Amino acid sequence: MKLRKGAEPDVALHKLRIAVLLVLVENLTHNHNVPLSSGAAKWDKPMSPRAAGEQQRCWAGDHSLEPPELLQLLSHVCSPNYPSLEPSKGAHSKGIYSKKEDVDENGDANMEGALIARDKVGVQDFVLLDSHTSEAAFLNNLRKRYQENLIYTYIGSLLVSVNPYQELDIYTVTQMQLYRGVNFFELPPHLYAIADNAYRVMCNEYNNHFILISGESGAGKTEASKKILQYYAVTCPTTEQLQTVRDRLLLSNPVLEAFGNAKTLRNDNSSRFGKYMDIQFDFKGAPVGGHILSYLIEKSRVVHQNHGERNFHIFYQLLEGGDKDLLCWLGLERNPQKYTYLIQGRCAKVFSINDKNDWKIVRKAFSIIDFTEKDIEHLFGIVASVLHLGNIQFEEDSNGHAIIRDGTQIKWISKLLGAHLSILQEALTHRKIEARSEEVLSPLNVDLAFYARDAVAKAIYGRTFTWLVNKINGSLANKDSTQKTVIGLLDIYGFEVLDTNSFEQFCINYCNEKLQQLLIEMTLKAEQEEYELEGIEWEPIPYFNNKIICDLVEQKHKGIISILDEECLRPGEATDLSFLEKLEEKVGDHAHFVTRKLADQKTRKSIDWVDFRLLHYAGEVTYCAVGFLEKNNDLLYRNLKEVLCNSKNSIMRDCFLLSELDNRRRPETVATQFKNSLTSLIEILMSKEPSYIRCIKPNENKEPGKFDDFLIRHQVKYLGLMEHLRVRRAGFAYRRKYELFLQRYKSLCPATWPHWHGPAAEGVERLIKHIGYKPEEYKLGRTKIFIRFPKTLFATEDAFEYRKHLLISRLQAKYKGFLGKRAYQKKRKAAIKLEAFWRGALARRAAKKRTWAVQTIRKFINGFINRKKPLCPENRDFVRLSQYYYLMKLRDHLPKNVLDESWLQPPSILEETSEMLQKICRRNLVRKYCRGLTAERKVQLQQKVVTSAVFSGKKEGYLESLGQPFLETRLKENDLNPKVLQLIRGENIKYVTPVIKYDRNGFKARERLLVLTQSSAYVVEMAKIKQKIEYSTLKGISTSNLSDGIVVIHVPEDNKQKGDVILQCEHIFETVTKLCILANKQSVVKVVKGSLRFRVGSGKEATMVFTVGPEPQVFKDKTGQLTVVSTPRKS
């Protein structure tokens, strides 16, 4: 069952729904009231007072269908839109049901499917795997869940967490409240379930707990511990006084991360130390204090980093985020490339790390954790002095002794540590040797000087880190002497297998061996106690006891640590090879130890001469012995220690006590210190109730959704998960209290459904016999049923799912029928009442409308009678209505163009207005028409105006010519003979048209061209100019009133002109208009009727007669006159 993001199921309400469903089934099937059995009322999770009251009322026998609150609740539960119900946890469900919803479309979900969804999302507890011994089945289940963004899975009470490498919406305050106070297996696996379970058991039983978080670097251990701290900060009760403690608990993390975490090849924020934090709670369950223990800080990182790795974060944060004045006071530059201790990994800048922002958080944390300004000043002085130490370089003098090449860095160190310059310089280049009662200074060579420099840098940083932890502990300490309960958080490094494994990996893996031993022992102990409590015979569980490996490492006088210490302390020249030889001599016959010398021919190829191999519980690990003695000794020359003990830096004085100088005993080696602290840690953990979180890294590239089988198989093996699962499954996979088992599955047996009246144990026995459990599949304890095989549980769950849907379907059908009948009766009663009211309303509305109609009609009749009077109250409405209707009608009958003179006849009262509107409309039409004219069209209209002035009402065919636009010319200039063009060159040709010229001798018709230029008119025959008429000499232009196309151009009497020109052209109106416009002599055009006189030569005149006939023709009649016949126009 999966809920969408943000879903908040009310568990108490779900319980109430189920109780009410059962009551209703009883009413519908048996038709009588029988209260639920007492066993059904036992729930693991405390209910709210409201829900408890509802539940008690239902269980007390108030099962009638009539109470409205019950019906209201049932209508919600049984509505068609209400989804089917299913258990929220499946195998470990405590009888609580929640809505079954689909996963969001993006596949991101924060709730689990029940057992019925196991094929899609796997089982949420590995104990329920059928093939629990199969590593492939384990990985397949883990992969299914990871692909659905279900990153948490249980192995019993152990939580397996897979790093998603993306932000998931499962850590909100809403989610915290959802898991708060809920039984462990009621909700899907989650970090909060582990944290809440530890907290609730601690509060109820007043005992101490610890949560062990382990895993490979980059698997999410640090984030997991942060999430648990945040959960307690949000969900635990608090006051203003306790808020300070809460803030200090939360902000101790960024400080410890700055000084103890670093970027490695596997993780950008890898913890380079082990951390155990006790959170102290008072009797109310409020956090009131805390205490932190640190283990094995990786001091060697201060002076050396592998390629692709960085030093501790604080160095880069100081350089990146520190203000200019602070860096100037510390003698530092902002560029990390300037410092030898910061550039060995060649990745001082990392895009995924915001050092500047982290610096601000650390500075804020210092102020809240109660650091004084003096503490902060001295602390940063120490950090800066470590950087200056790394930049000290040595060279040989003439005697081969080491001397400091440049004194700049040592001056800064002297200032920051408050040490005398010359004494400090001497301590770095000389070693003090005590010979009986004398002290001798022995000069160091260059290699030993570099060793001394690195040793003091590691010692300073390592002890400063311890001081920092103690300082934080001081701020977290609770001064109240009353007894407290605690929850411990152990964020410890997981099993490490690198390409080259050294002293650090040896210590880390030894720690994991001890913790694995603790895990198996405590798991077996818890299993055995539960079996004994339930009266079930304990069957010894075979498992690999890794005590033999722990003894190999830690046994007194015989273990590897003892041999290592012995080799470090013995006189003479001890080397890593002599240590390896001693191991071969003393533990060479151990089954879990092998070297190249002891190995067989096949194994020998994979082991170097300086290596030894241990067979850990998680697999074989090969360690390189080089550096074991040096790292185990971790010696600091006495004179260097004296300098630090006498430092004026208060932190240095706290870290290096003067009493150390009086102690002549050799300090404990690193391995012994680690073994003792680990023994102390195991004792602490053994006194507490355990919870376990195993973190897994899904891939090396930190990619979301990528599941690397090989890498995860490797981690599953090294985390001992298969071994833990085998121990958990060696007995019974599933156990459940009788009351809860019966409450959930009683519907599968007629004898137990709907209620079982009797002891729950007997009811369960009847139930499993009816289902058909075989004797080897289960055991019955005192208070619980134990089921051995997951397949038995799955079959039961599938049968319950099928039965549940049958019951719900029957219940919904019955209840829907009841609701339908009641709804019908309600609707019928309401409809009758509604009809009565509605008929009354309609009658009142009709009467009101009739009254209004009478008043309106009377008012308009009165207005019509007085319509011709001036505007007054009696006729105002009628006049306004008349105006409105006239204007609305006028809107649809406006003239469409300028020539449309139609206009709607107005009423008498609107005549003046109508006249004004008509003028406005006509002006608007004219304006629109004028604005739409092109330049060419405007010229044509101007010519038409001239034509109208000359011919309008005078000549036939004029009206027909109005719709025919004038052309610019009838023939183009290219149509003229080139010779003609040459003769009239220099003149701009404006118009050319073909014409018929009648000569003066016999009036014979000749085809000619009339060419009009800017200054003259030419009559052209092919390549000749027959006659030129200058406009200035033009006397007149004559044409008849008929449609004959004849035009006579009158010229003056002179030698150049032979007589008037008689032309006939098709486009008479166009030609005459063009000619008179070009000649600018519109007044000389005459339209004659009947006949006209024209000159045919010098002093001679003739007459042209115009007449009408059936056919148009031009001829010379018997009297010698030129007769022009034209056809009559149809009117």
Side-chain angles (χ1 to χ4, degrees), residues 967-1007:
L967 299 184
E968 186 177 357
T969 180
R970 291 291 171 176
L971 292 175
K972 295 183 180 178
E973 193 173 331
N974 296 336
D975 296 331
L976 296 177
N977 193 292
K979 289 183 180 180
V980 174
L981 292 174
Q982 189 174 8
L983 291 172
I984 61 175
R985 66 179 179 276
E987 294 188 49
N988 188 10
I989 297 174
K990 296 294 185 180
Y991 181 76
V992 180
T993 184
V995 296
I996 297 175
K997 180 179 180 296
Y998 295 93
D999 58 22
R1000 288 170 292 280
N1001 298 319
F1003 302 116
K1004 292 182 179 180
R1006 312 287 185 183
E1007 289 187 0

Side-chain angles (χ1 to χ4, degrees), residues 774-814:
K774 296 178 181 178
E776 65 271 15
E777 292 180 334
Y778 72 97
K779 289 281 186 183
L780 296 177
R782 291 190 178 96
T783 63
K784 294 181 181 178
I785 177 174
F786 290 75
I787 297 177
R788 189 179 297 277
F789 306 116
K791 63 182 180 181
T792 306
L793 177 66
F794 293 160
T796 307
E797 185 65 30
D798 291 341
F800 171 67
E801 183 66 19
Y802 177 73
R803 177 66 175 165
K804 180 176 62 178
H805 284 293
L806 289 180
L807 291 173
I808 293 297
S809 299
R810 188 184 305 168
L811 179 63
Q812 287 180 334
K814 293 274 187 180

